[in-house]
Amino acid sequence: SDSPEPYSFRVLRTFPHDPDAFTQGLLYHEGFLYESTGGWGTSSIRRVDLETGRVLDRRNLPRHFFGEGLALWENRLIQLTWRSGTGFIYDLKTLDMIRRFHYSGEGWGLTQDLDGLIMSDGSSELRRLNPRTLRELNRLTVHDRGLPLAGLNELEYIDGEIWANVFPTKRIVRIDPAAGN
């Protein structure tokens, strides 16, 4: 069948979290949550204790950047911003900014697989980025039952598949990274 199979879920556990954090990117690494928060004048990158929700370290973005997707590559955190075409690279241990990089269009979700970074921009296309130069290598059009599927956000790479939230819905889709369906 060409129709995707629907799944359900159940919540196994909850953890405390800053209710003022507008989470845009989130990852778990070596016992800590790393979080990119959005908002004009309130965007940041954070290291958070999962069990307590306490923010252990934080770097605020300049007021004119709206934080978005977040990924880890080697010892660097890579953060996108929404409408500025600017991303930031941070040292994993210190959260000190290493440098900025630029891309065309909007930055939404970001994840990584074994080959590099995968970025979304709100359209039906996912971009493959070289993890060292952050230059675009190619694009993959995502489709659902033969039609392009736009609004791809908050990306995760899980067991050989790309998972994405379809903004502004509560729908999560599993994407074949080779074919785009």
Side-chain angles (χ1 to χ4, degrees):
S1 156
D2 290 338
S3 294
E5 182 179 347
Y7 288 86
S8 64
F9 68 91
R10 74 185 160 97
V11 175
L12 299 177
R13 188 164 174 206
T14 60
F15 297 93
H17 184 260
D18 177 358
D20 294 325
F22 187 24
T23 305
Q24 298 294 318
L26 189 67
L27 63 93
Y28 181 77
H29 179 69
E30 295 182 350
F32 299 103
L33 284 179
Y34 292 88
E35 180 177 17
S36 171
T37 67
W40 300 113
T42 59
S43 291
S44 67
I45 186 166
R46 303 167 173 205
R47 181 181 298 112
V48 178
D49 179 84
L50 175 65
E51 295 293 327
T52 66
R54 190 168 66 103
V55 177
L56 303 173
D57 202 0
R58 172 183 178 156
R59 299 290 181 272
N60 294 326
L61 273 66
R63 297 187 65 76
H64 59 283
F65 291 107
F66 190 111
E68 281 284 345
L70 183 68
L72 174 64
W73 188 264
E74 295 173 346
N75 296 335
R76 300 173 299 153
L77 291 165
I78 296 103
Q79 180 184 36
L80 301 177
T81 60
W82 182 24
R83 292 183 170 166
S84 64
T86 302
F88 298 96
I89 303 171
Y90 303 90
D91 179 88
L92 175 65
K93 299 287 186 226
T94 65
L95 294 190
D96 290 339
M97 189 194 316
I98 296 170
R99 70 178 178 93
R100 295 180 182 196
F101 65 99
H102 299 282
Y103 48 87
S104 63
E106 297 182 355
W108 284 41
L110 189 65
T111 192
Q112 71 284 331
D113 64 8
L114 296 176
D115 296 323
L117 300 171
I118 303 164
M119 170 185 169
S120 67
D121 60 12
S123 73
S124 61
E125 293 186 322
L126 297 177
R127 305 178 193 189
R128 164 87 47 198
L129 304 179
N130 177 305
R132 288 174 182 71
T133 66
L134 297 158
R135 297 200 191 284
E136 184 177 323
L137 300 173
N138 56 50
R139 293 187 183 208
L140 172 70
T141 300
V142 176
H143 49 275
D144 180 6
R145 291 169 270 215
L147 298 174
L149 181 62
L152 302 172
N153 199 11
E154 182 43 35
L155 305 178
E156 298 296 336
Y157 188 81
I158 303 169
D159 296 331
E161 299 175 332
I162 302 165
W163 290 41
N165 164 249
V166 181
F167 184 81
T169 74
K170 293 181 180 180
R171 185 176 172 210
I172 296 173
V173 294
R174 295 169 48 204
I175 303 163
D176 177 342
N181 53 318

